[in-house]
Amino acid sequence: MAMTAEIRIGVGGMTCANCSARVERVLRRLPGVVDASVNLATETARVRYLPALLEPEGITAAIRGAGYEPLLDPDAMREAAAESTTVTPGAGPGVTLHTPSPQPSPAGGEGAGETAACTAAPSPQACADATSSPGREGSERPRPGAQASTRAGTTGDPGLGRDLRLAAAFTLPLLLLSMGPMLWPPLHHGLEAHLSWRAQGLLQFVLAAPVYFWAGQRFLRHGWAEMRTLSPGMSSLVMLGGGAAIAYSTLALLAPGLFPPGTAHYYFEAAAVIVSLILLGKWLEARAKGRTSAAIRRLVELRPQTARVVREGRELDIPTQAIVLGDLVLARPGERIATDGEVEHGESWVDESMLTGEPLPVARGPGGKVVGGTLNQTGVLYFRATRLGADTVLAQIIRLVQEAQAEKPPIQALADRIAAVFVPGVMALGLVTFAVWLLVGPAPALNYAFVAAVSVLVVACPCAMGLATPTAILVGTGRAAELGLLFRSGPALERLAGVDTLVFDKTGTLTLGHPRVTDVVALDGDREGLLALAAALERYSQHPLARAVVAAAEEASDAIHTASERPGLPASSQDAAPPLTTPLAMTDIVNAAGLGLSGRLGDTVLAIGSARYLQDWGVDLSPLAAAAAELGAQGCSLIHVARDGQPLGLIGVADPLREGSAEAIAGLKALGLNTVLISGDQTAAVALAARQTGIDQALGEVLPGGKAEAVKALQAQGRRVAFVGDGINDAPALAQADVGIAIGTGTDIAVEAGDLVLMSHDPRTLLSAIALARRTLTTIRGNFFWAFAYNLLLIPLAAGVLYPLSGWLLNPMVAAGAMSLSSLFVVGNSLRLRHFRRPRGFAVPDRASG
């Protein structure tokens, strides 16, 4: 298979769904382009292409030839195309560069600059040398989204505000001159006395021309490009509508005799107001769209500007970009962690709410992982930098959210297809409207025909259609990131809203993922003593069950030393074994792999393991039969303990359910979802977990490949399936499902098989994910209803269907305002997703997952 590359590039000047669809068509026609997707809300294009057939310059040239402005220069695009980490020729020995994709500005669009990440180098200076090149910032490592943070609060088009101010400055006096006399008779008499009808027209032309030809030049430029390529869009409608008003009025000014009596009127103000109102709508829309990327901006701003590192025994304050792998970094109380790392010294509580969406801090000490951007609260931490730049969790989160916002869901593709035929249809309808009014309209028919045709052209712009989906996806995925829910794509969010069945893996998903001692049965009542004896022998085994016994014994010993009781492990009796701080000395250890162990303790022989193993030793286990049957029914693995051929007791080990598992399943059922549990564990254990959580159906002893087959079988029944797993051994099932959900990934969020990554281990976060996905899809549908209903309602009104009944005809200026209002409504409706809250009654408790 030929090697492909993918780049993301900003596209300036797009104004409606036809614009984005047109850029897509132009890009897909290029030789070597495998796929292209253009997002109107973020003003970005994603292009996957064959480098052997196409250079980045060809992509920028195509966008520019279509009448739009690429917002990233070709050199930076070439760097962005090398998304994966590569050894760059000439970078220097031992230097690895990573060039991440550009970050979007708050209003969408891409930043104009790009930096290279130095992810490995023998020294900081080597990084600086490698990243210092023409067009590349000379720093060791980029601050993710630096462009976005520095451009916060600006619109995607810096000239938009300037053109709006120019248009307003000329349009307001023009309105006073043209409409004022109708509203205030003294003004009419004053103008009649001092200016002739032609002089008034000339003055109106002088005021209207700068608005249409200068402030509105974006519409003329894009409109002409659209018409030239036979793909008319919003700019074409504005160009034709405003141009018709200018041309009609100019002809009436210069040659009024060409018109039938009573039809030579001026409509200069209509052209100026159309341009001014649409510019105002675009300016307000850009400001509102800028708010949709607030989540990414907040993530970007979490990155500290400076860090304190320890080099050659000295503490140095350096720019965060200058940290290199292996640096020992200091985080003081109240400071944000500079980059990802592993704690070497110190203990503290760290606020990781930016990862998990849960507010309470977690304890971090030696060996613990810390994540760049999280807040160190109480103690001093010294940690080794393990990830830099684009490889950090924060950068990955930002990249995942951006990719989700840029990818186009199926519902948006449908809207694009509709918009592609909508505008040509509207232009045809405008011609029909003009012809009908000219033939059957009242006198002066030409005036009525002109007003109706211009109103149809202006009011029918499909801007709202193009913004319906991407703005909702933009806000929804950003809010999801704040809650610790990372959607890898926009289509995943749409698909999750439609699932009816959730299939769960058991181990590590609904359970803790490692065995724990749940029950201790001692025939003499001394459970701590039994644990101490068992642990003394199990220390010589690496079996997971053995480690669980040792851990439980150590916990019990700690409880004794602190004079507190641990549930299920009561305080030691008079005959308790010695504390485990001085482990019992075992000799003559014999390990029967998979069955058990034996050893000598002084003059006695201790044996521990399965029932079969102890029976082979001649131990009578009948005194433990009842307890063994009860624990076995509960899904526990059983460890029998005997001394000198006599049974001492029984230890039950199981993988306990995570806190909140039962509440999560109850919440999912309340949302109307079916639940299935699939695991490779024993059937009895899987069935027990299903009963404890309330899951409808359970399948045990299923291999990883079998999980994917089970998902496929459910899909064959017509179900839309989401699979929830740990993202490693469940990868086939995650890929097979309509939506793959990786849960509890902590700091390792790069789960390629999953469509949704849950940063918290708590399964109740699924409720938030599904509720938010449904709310987002509902918002998208509401946006589409408004956009389509608005056009379907206003186009007939603009054409004049009510005139025979009421004598009312839509003014082109009112049509321009109405068109802008539809886009603002869609954006405003999408912004309501910023206030999404977790479902009531099933809220995740205010705690952080360790």
Side-chain angles (χ1 to χ4, degrees):
M1 181 181 293
M3 184 184 69
T4 62
E6 181 176 292
I7 58 173
R8 281 176 290 178
I9 179 171
V11 181
M14 295 190 299
T15 50
C16 70
N18 265 80
C19 297
S20 57
R22 180 163 165 267
V23 175
E24 271 188 12
R25 289 195 298 271
V26 169
L27 291 175
R28 287 175 176 171
R29 290 176 191 149
L30 291 175
V33 169
V34 178
D35 188 36
S37 177
V38 180
N39 188 305
L40 175 62
T42 60
E43 296 178 340
T44 57
R46 295 181 65 182
V47 185
R48 192 156 55 92
Y49 67 101
L50 300 173
L53 300 178
L54 182 63
E55 291 287 333
E57 289 87 345
I59 297 173
T60 57
I63 293 173
R64 194 171 285 110
Y68 303 92
E69 187 62 29
L71 301 181
L72 188 63
D73 62 65
D75 290 336
M77 282 182 63
R78 186 175 290 106
E79 292 183 3
E83 179 64 31
S84 60
T85 302
T86 57
V87 177
T88 304
V95 178
T96 302
L97 295 182
H98 184 88
T99 49
S101 295
Q103 311 296 333
S105 71
E110 299 280 346
E114 185 56 59
T115 59
C118 184
T119 57
S123 68
Q125 186 58 43
C127 275
D129 294 342
T131 53
S132 297
S133 62
R136 178 182 287 160
E137 184 180 2
S139 64
E140 287 89 339
R141 190 162 44 85
R143 188 171 70 255
Q147 296 291 336
S149 62
T150 57
R151 295 176 59 183
T154 66
T155 65
D157 186 347
L160 191 57
R162 177 201 61 209
D163 290 343
L164 176 59
R165 290 190 294 272
L166 174 68
F170 284 91
T171 301
L172 290 176
L174 176 58
L175 274 176
L176 180 65
L177 183 63
S178 59
M179 307 296 290
M182 304 179 192
L183 303 175
W184 192 37
L187 180 59
H188 170 73
H189 298 311
L191 289 175
E192 287 288 324
H194 295 88
L195 292 174
S196 66
W197 179 80
R198 178 164 290 188
Q200 292 182 43
L202 182 61
L203 183 56
Q204 290 183 31
F205 173 81
V206 170
L207 291 172
V211 178
Y212 181 75
F213 292 105
W214 181 257
Q217 62 180 306
R218 71 191 65 236
F219 303 119
L220 303 182
R221 184 173 63 252
H222 298 147
W224 173 246
E226 291 170 357
M227 297 299 290
R228 189 178 68 247
T229 56
L230 301 180
S231 54
M234 176 259 191
S235 295
S236 303
L237 298 179
V238 175
M239 181 185 72
L240 293 176
I246 291 287
Y248 185 99
S249 304
T250 303
L251 196 59
L253 172 65
L254 299 179
L258 298 178
F259 292 82
T263 62
H265 293 288
Y266 300 139
Y267 292 100
F268 291 114
E269 80 284 351
V273 171
I274 286 171
V275 170
S276 298
L277 285 178
I278 293 177
L279 284 173
L280 175 62
K282 290 296 172 188
W283 182 75
L284 293 173
E285 178 186 301
R287 287 178 61 87
K289 283 163 62 180
R291 294 169 60 193
T292 64
S293 61
I296 286 185
R297 283 205 306 275
R298 281 193 290 270
L299 288 173
V300 168
E301 291 163 0
L302 291 175
R303 188 64 174 275
Q305 301 294 310
T306 61
R308 174 163 289 196
V309 300
V310 179
R311 290 178 179 169
E312 298 178 353
R314 294 188 303 147
E315 292 185 1
L316 305 173
D317 287 320
I318 63 173
T320 304
Q321 297 95 322
I323 300 174
V324 296
L325 287 175
D327 264 342
L328 184 62
V329 187
L330 167 63
R332 291 165 291 195
E335 292 182 341
R336 291 201 174 272
I337 306 295
T339 190
D340 296 3
E342 182 174 330
V343 178
E344 287 200 358
H345 308 290
E347 293 182 348
S348 182
W349 291 88
V350 179
D351 179 0
E352 296 185 347
S353 57
M354 53 83 70
L355 284 179
T356 64
E358 300 172 20
L360 292 187
V362 294
R364 290 290 179 258
K369 306 293 185 182
V370 291
V371 178
T374 57
L375 181 63
N376 181 34
Q377 292 193 334
T378 57
V380 176
L381 293 176
Y382 288 86
F383 64 93
R384 290 286 176 189
T386 57
R387 292 181 181 179
L388 305 175
D391 294 327
T392 62
V393 171
L394 181 59
Q396 291 183 58
I397 290 174
I398 293 172
R399 186 162 60 247
L400 284 178
V401 175
Q402 289 169 345
E403 289 173 354
Q405 293 173 348
E407 196 166 347
K408 188 172 297 184
I411 193 171
Q412 175 63 22
L414 172 64
D416 290 346
R417 289 195 296 271
I418 294 174
V421 299
F422 185 81
V423 173
V426 166
M427 296 177 69
L429 182 61
L431 290 175
V432 171
T433 299
F434 184 85
V436 170
W437 274 97
L438 196 61
L439 293 175
V440 302
L446 183 61
N447 270 20
Y448 284 111
F450 172 76
V451 169
V454 170
S455 296
V456 167
L457 291 177
V458 173
V459 81
C461 173
C463 293
M465 293 183 205
L467 293 170
T469 295
T471 54
I473 294 292
L474 207 67
V475 182
T477 52
R479 178 59 183 147
E482 293 177 335
L483 295 174
L485 313 169
L486 301 181
F487 286 93
R488 293 180 62 85
S489 68
L493 189 146
E494 182 180 341
R495 292 196 303 271
L496 181 62
V499 301
D500 53 35
T501 302
L502 260 78
V503 179
F504 289 88
D505 169 56
K506 183 176 77 74
T507 305
T509 301
L510 293 180
T511 67
L512 294 177
H514 52 83
R516 284 188 175 182
V517 171
T518 58
D519 296 89
V520 179
V521 178
L523 293 179
D524 63 359
D526 180 13
R527 288 190 274 187
E528 267 86 10
L530 181 66
L531 268 177
L533 285 173
L537 190 54
E538 292 283 30
R539 291 178 188 276
Y540 298 93
S541 172
Q542 295 301 313
H543 194 280
L545 298 184
R547 291 198 294 270
V549 171
V550 172
E554 289 174 343
E555 289 177 2
S557 179
D558 290 341
I560 293 171
H561 287 302
T562 57
S564 62
E565 291 190 356
R566 182 174 179 81
L569 298 174
S572 178
S573 67
Q574 300 278 338
D575 301 321
L580 290 182
T581 51
T582 57
L584 302 176
M586 302 294 301
T587 60
D588 299 335
I589 307 297
V590 178
N591 190 338
L595 294 175
L597 298 98
S598 65
R600 183 174 294 276
L601 178 63
D603 296 330
T604 64
V605 176
L606 187 68
I608 183 171
S610 66
R612 173 185 166 188
Y613 180 69
L614 266 67
Q615 286 168 350
D616 289 343
W617 278 71
V619 179
D620 179 12
L621 297 179
S622 58
L624 298 171
E630 181 180 351
L631 294 180
Q634 295 175 9
C636 290
S637 298
L638 304 180
I639 301 175
H640 295 77
V641 183
R643 181 168 53 192
D644 291 334
Q646 298 300 315
L648 292 181
L650 184 67
I651 299 174
V653 181
D655 184 7
L657 292 173
R658 289 190 182 277
E659 181 183 355
S661 293
E663 293 92 332
I665 300 304
L668 294 171
K669 287 187 172 182
L671 294 175
L673 295 167
N674 301 310
T675 53
V676 180
L677 184 61
I678 300 179
S679 176
D681 204 350
Q682 296 178 0
T683 301
V686 177
L688 176 64
R691 288 196 302 272
Q692 291 174 333
T693 57
I695 288 179
D696 303 317
Q697 181 182 353
L699 298 174
E701 301 179 22
V702 179
L703 297 176
K707 294 178 183 179
E709 291 300 320
V711 170
K712 188 181 298 184
L714 290 170
Q715 292 171 325
Q717 298 172 16
R719 297 193 190 184
R720 287 166 292 181
V721 180
F723 184 88
V724 188
D726 62 13
I728 301 173
N729 61 340
D730 297 317
L734 287 166
Q736 174 63 42
D738 296 281
V739 181
I741 303 175
I743 187 171
T745 57
T747 59
D748 186 15
I749 68 167
V751 182
E752 295 298 332
D755 300 300
L756 168 62
V757 179
L758 307 185
M759 299 302 294
S760 169
H761 285 281
D762 196 315
R764 285 170 290 192
T765 55
L766 276 169
L767 301 174
S768 297
I770 293 172
L772 178 57
R774 290 183 174 183
R775 178 82 62 82
T776 303
L777 189 59
T778 299
T779 300
I780 291 173
R781 288 171 174 165
N783 287 347
F784 273 127
F785 172 80
W786 173 263
F788 283 109
Y790 198 85
N791 279 313
L792 292 176
L793 174 66
L794 288 185
I795 288 176
L797 294 182
V801 295
L802 292 183
Y803 185 84
L805 301 176
S806 63
W808 184 81
L809 188 62
L810 189 66
N811 188 288
M813 294 182 288
V814 177
M819 186 274 288
S820 297
L821 182 63
S822 67
S823 296
L824 293 177
F825 177 89
V826 164
V827 174
N829 189 44
S830 297
L831 285 172
R832 294 190 306 129
L833 290 169
R834 297 173 68 204
H835 307 294
F836 172 84
R837 295 291 181 266
R838 300 184 190 275
R840 291 183 180 178
F842 298 101
V844 177
D846 289 336
R847 60 174 182 79
S849 316

